[in-house]
Amino acid sequence: MVFRMEPAKIKAVMPVAGLGTRFLPATKATPKEMLPVVDKPAIQYVVEEAVAAGIRDVLMIIGRNKNAIANHFDSVPELEEKLTQKGDDTKLGHVQRSSELADIHLLRQGEPKGLGHAVSRAQSHVGDTPFAVMLGDDLIDERNPLLPKMIEVNEQKQAMVIALMEVDPDQISLYGCASVEATDDPDVVKVLDLVEKPAKEDAPSNLAIIGRYLLTKEIFPVLEHTAPGKGNEIQLTDALKEVAADPENVDVYGVIFRGRRYDTGDKLDYIKAIVQLASDRDDLGPDLKPWLKDFAASI
Ligand code: G1P
């Protein structure tokens, strides 16, 4: 008899330990990941994206003050009972959805020493299986799935995969930036080098890392010795740069994302994200769009 091992399931790791200082005072007592984007907290979009890609296990690396995130993904029996009594199935569905989406695990980061450090904390949870790191500031439109392609490239090439997007050269200093080589697939590139938040003049390209990574266990020993970099933080970009440069280590590929991405990391982009997403919604768009046109004409 032949036994076939089921391929181990990919897990998601979401670092959510940031202080959200750009949104103070809103984030004084509320984690920035809980700020609503239309009517859902930003982090729920990211969990839904993971679930849509077949991921059921989500590890959140949290900081202090993040209890609201844990509560959001838990059930609230009193509220559910009230809504059941009222017969309000729509609202009941909304309340239940976030607690039934996925298995959410929480791990405290301890000292906030940067994204690379947060990811290194996931080691015992993910074990030897490739895992998706998903940053809460980047929302990927559900109509343009990105993770499935990254998982496919990881499986094909047995490599780490990062998501890249072309940005205006003036914006590159806000992102990790990749130097790449083309492959046969126009949406896939081989990553040769990486630099975290370069000045415009020093950037090797206009390809920015957006917050999705498909990593393999080989990242952990590298993260262990990655020295603090930009902002005196242990940068995931620096660890990936080392992996990409080392011919003995696994390769790093990039998937070029050409779909709709919303940045909720700063105030202006957050407002734009809400307006764009609300405009596309059937319940809000038909009223919002003509109002937006009038408003735009009046300013
Ligand atoms: C992080 C990464 C950066 C990446 C960005 C994507 O930076 O360090 O390489 O381009 O996320 O959103 P942060 O925006 O957390 O400063």
Side-chain angles (χ1 to χ4, degrees):
M1 194 190 285
V2 181
F3 285 101
R4 207 178 140 269
M5 290 269 286
E6 270 285 300
K9 285 270 189 317
I10 287 181
K11 297 176 180 177
V13 174
M14 302 186 184
V16 290
L19 294 175
T21 49
R22 278 186 272 189
F23 285 89
L24 282 170
T27 47
K28 189 175 168 192
T30 304
K32 69 170 174 176
E33 295 80 9
M34 287 301 294
L35 296 180
V37 176
V38 191
D39 52 7
K40 270 192 289 194
I43 191 70
Q44 186 173 333
Y45 288 84
V46 185
V47 173
E48 286 174 351
E49 181 194 339
V51 171
I55 297 174
R56 288 282 314 167
D57 183 303
V58 176
L59 175 69
M60 302 217 178
I61 313 285
I62 58 172
R64 279 181 293 118
N65 226 351
K66 302 280 177 167
N67 294 342
I69 298 180
N71 291 340
H72 181 71
F73 291 102
D74 199 357
S75 56
V76 196
E78 320 80 86
L79 179 57
E80 290 173 30
E81 214 175 288
K82 278 236 165 73
L83 293 169
T84 309
Q85 276 164 14
K86 275 194 181 170
D88 195 336
D89 291 343
T90 310
K91 289 204 182 104
L92 182 64
H94 290 326
V95 168
Q96 288 175 332
R97 179 164 165 76
S98 59
S99 45
E100 288 168 356
L101 267 174
D103 294 334
I104 309 283
H105 304 263
L106 302 163
L107 181 71
R108 290 279 279 253
Q109 185 177 357
E111 238 182 295
K113 291 193 267 186
L115 178 58
H117 174 248
V119 170
S120 72
R121 299 280 289 127
Q123 183 167 15
S124 58
H125 187 81
V126 300
D128 288 347
T129 311
F131 59 101
V133 171
M134 306 175 73
L135 306 188
D137 284 349
D138 291 292
L139 305 188
I140 301 295
D141 197 298
E142 60 184 358
R143 293 163 292 184
N144 310 119
L146 166 61
L147 270 183
K149 177 77 179 178
M150 296 177 72
I151 295 172
E152 183 191 311
V153 175
N154 159 261
E155 281 168 359
Q156 261 173 16
K157 315 256 189 204
Q158 296 294 306
M160 299 196 204
V161 187
I162 59 178
L164 297 170
M165 189 169 184
E166 285 187 47
V167 298
D168 186 300
D170 284 332
Q171 297 281 307
I172 198 71
S173 60
L174 300 172
Y175 298 94
C177 175
S179 159
V180 303
E181 187 180 271
T183 70
D184 294 342
D185 182 336
D187 292 331
V188 178
V189 289
K190 181 149 190 237
V191 175
L192 306 176
D193 195 12
L194 290 164
V195 47
E196 177 69 0
K197 305 198 173 116
K200 183 182 174 183
E201 325 63 90
D202 304 329
S205 74
N206 67 337
L207 285 173
I209 305 177
I210 52 172
R212 300 292 179 271
Y213 309 78
L214 214 295
L215 303 179
T216 63
K217 64 179 190 312
E218 285 80 7
I219 198 69
F220 294 120
V222 177
L223 280 171
E224 228 159 79
H225 65 241
T226 301
K230 264 259 146 73
N232 204 27
E233 294 190 340
I234 299 173
Q235 296 291 351
L236 182 56
T237 305
D238 292 344
L240 284 164
K241 173 192 173 78
E242 184 181 321
V243 174
D246 180 356
E248 307 283 302
N249 211 330
V250 295
D251 290 330
V252 180
Y253 281 85
V255 166
I256 306 208
F257 182 65
R258 304 179 206 277
R260 284 159 282 200
R261 160 185 173 265
Y262 313 95
D263 183 351
T264 59
D266 80 52
K267 274 183 255 189
L268 184 61
D269 286 329
Y270 171 73
I271 293 165
K272 289 183 193 167
I274 292 175
V275 173
Q276 279 174 281
L277 284 163
S279 302
D280 279 346
R281 288 230 326 218
D282 293 342
D283 57 341
L284 298 166
D287 288 334
L288 179 61
K289 281 190 275 195
W291 178 83
L292 269 175
K293 277 192 191 133
D294 288 349
F295 181 62
S298 75
I299 51 177

